Every structure is written in structure tokens, then in C-alpha cells.
Amino acid sequence: RWVLGTQSVPAQRRILEGLRAQVGEDPAKFDAPEWDDWLNTPSSMIHLTTGGAAGAPRPEYLLTQLTGVHHDPEATCPRFREAVDLWTCHRPELAVYLQKVLGASLLPGAAGRLLVVLLGASSANGKSTLGEVMRGVLGDYAGTLAADALMEGRFRASHDEALAPMARITVEDCL
């Protein structure tokens, strides 16, 4: 995590390739495309299109990402539901839309396809809190959008370099 948070994208690539080489596996085997439909949690793996769960993650799968929370299919999340109700101004249709957008961001290939901007009349209405919750829940699957990702300029990073590598959702609190 330190590498991804403090180094430039080219440096990240060099460091991670060096570490992967020391493991003795071909880097192309890590996070292979056949696992794109799966979300790796500390307690189980969840198939994102069917909702089915498999056993605990196993090292031989060579998955490098892990959510920040355990999977609990019985969880009801009453505080989160209350917060979403408040953030969406008690509009159930907007709450359903928000849930669909957040869910769609987890699906493979969604990175770069959705740009969601949360607007509010003040700075204390839950926008940053929602981002923090998503980053906490998604753990390694969440990244931070580089501040200059949506700007034009001669020295800014390319779009691909500006987005967190392999993140399914990226969050920027203040653009």
C-alpha cells in the first residue's frame, strides 16, 4: 500500500514487477482476467454477477486485492441505510439509483466508464463520508483519483496513470 500511495506510477510499476519477480510467478498470472467477476474478501470470495459466495481466498489464486471487510450475507447495515436516506433527501428512487451506481462500479470493466459527481449545498452533507465508507469497505479495490486526472495540461499524468492501478472505484473528495 505504501508503494501505491507514495510513488509515481512508473516507480510503482518497477517496484511491483520487482516484487512479483521475487515471488517466482509470471506477473501476468496475478489478478488474472478469469477472476474479474469475483470480489475477494477476508472471509470469502463473492461472484459479482450471481451473488454466490465461495470459500475463503487462497494464495494459489494469486489475487492481490482484498476488501476491507468480511462478507456477511446476513448483514442489514441499518446505520448505512439511514445515512443513504438522509443523503438522498428521503427519496427512495434516488437511494436505489445510488446503490446501483455503487454496485456497477464493482463490476469488471466499470473503471473509467462511470463519472459520478456528488453535489451538495454545503460541505457537511455526506459526500466525503460516502467516499470514506466506500474506500473502507472496498479496501484494496478502491483508489484515489489523482487531482489532475480531469484537467488538461502539458505535465499531467495520462488518464490511465492518473487512476489508481487496478481500482474498481476511485474517489476524490475535492475537485
Side-chain angles (χ1 to χ4, degrees), residues 38-47 51-58 61 63 65-67 69-73 141:
W38 292 88
L39 192 66
N40 199 20
T41 78
S43 55
S44 64
M45 297 177 61
I46 304 165
H47 195 272
R58 297 171 57 168
Y61 295 159
L63 298 174
Q65 294 176 300
L66 194 65
T67 63
V69 297
H70 289 270
H71 174 241
D72 180 359
Y141 288 98

Side-chain angles (χ1 to χ4, degrees), residues 152-156:
E152 288 188 37
R154 186 171 149 196
F155 298 107
R156 75 169 185 82

Side-chain angles (χ1 to χ4, degrees), residues 77-97:
C77 309
R79 290 182 64 197
F80 182 72
R81 290 181 185 272
E82 289 173 16
V84 168
D85 186 49
L86 179 66
W87 297 334
T88 58
C89 301
H90 313 288
R91 295 174 49 198
E93 71 281 2
L94 190 54
V96 168
Y97 175 75

Side-chain angles (χ1 to χ4, degrees), residues 84-174:
V84 168
D85 186 49
L86 179 66
W87 297 334
T88 58
C89 301
H90 313 288
R91 295 174 49 198
E93 71 281 2
L94 190 54
V96 168
Y97 175 75
L98 180 60
Q99 181 179 353
K100 286 181 180 181
V101 167
L102 295 175
S105 71
L106 297 177
L107 295 173
R113 292 190 188 174
L114 298 172
L115 174 63
V116 178
V117 178
L118 302 176
L119 299 174
S122 73
S123 62
N125 55 16
K127 299 180 300 288
S128 295
T129 302
L130 177 60
E132 290 171 16
V133 168
M134 292 306 296
R135 280 192 294 255
V137 168
L138 293 176
D140 298 333
Y141 288 98
T144 301
L145 185 65
D148 64 352
L150 302 177
M151 298 181 207
E152 288 188 37
R154 186 171 149 196
F155 298 107
R156 75 169 185 82
S158 72
H159 176 70
D160 289 340
E161 290 179 348
L163 295 175
M166 299 169 35
R168 295 199 184 182
I169 186 172
T170 56
V171 178
E172 172 55 43
D173 293 333
C174 301

